Amino acid sequence: PDVPDDFNAEDALKIGFVSRISKTNGDLVDTANGVCQRIIQNSPVAVTITKASLNYSRDHTVAEGLEHIALHNSTALMSEDLVKSFMMSGGASDNIQFAPLQSYSRL
């Protein structure tokens, strides 16, 4: 079948190329800020590992990606963030603070 060079926003949404459509620039900014607010509520360790795993998996096989995720998950279990996340999910407090990530060198 022929694939058009261009497609509109509704077509992009139908085929899963985008997850939502914003009608105005203001709506777009509000939506982006909402996504950011949900992300920053999570453990920095979890966010960083998720991003690294997504980047890794896009260039590797499914099996390699799953192995990569398993390795990262095993190290994340050593973090205090896991306990804090469980506390938040149980409604313990909305004010739980996660420790900042340590910087690392790419020698």
Side-chain angles (χ1 to χ4, degrees), residues 47-87:
V47 172
T48 302
I49 288 172
T50 299
K51 172 94 168 107
S53 294
L54 287 170
N55 287 340
Y56 181 89
S57 294
R58 111 185 126 202
D59 298 325
H60 293 83
T61 67
V62 171
E64 290 168 336
L66 291 172
E67 185 175 339
H68 185 260
I69 290 168
L71 174 64
H72 277 285
N73 284 348
S74 67
T75 59
L77 292 175
M78 293 184 256
S79 164
E80 291 180 18
D81 288 1
L82 182 65
V83 173
K84 290 178 180 180
S85 294
F86 279 122
M87 290 170 57

Side-chain angles (χ1 to χ4, degrees), residues 35-49:
V35 171
C36 291
Q37 289 300 315
R38 285 193 304 275
I39 291 171
I40 65 170
Q41 295 300 313
N42 294 295
S43 153
V45 172
V47 172
T48 302
I49 288 172

Side-chain angles (χ1 to χ4, degrees), residues 22-34:
S22 297
K23 297 202 181 298
T24 67
N25 286 345
D27 290 343
L28 175 62
V29 170
D30 291 344
T31 300
N33 283 332

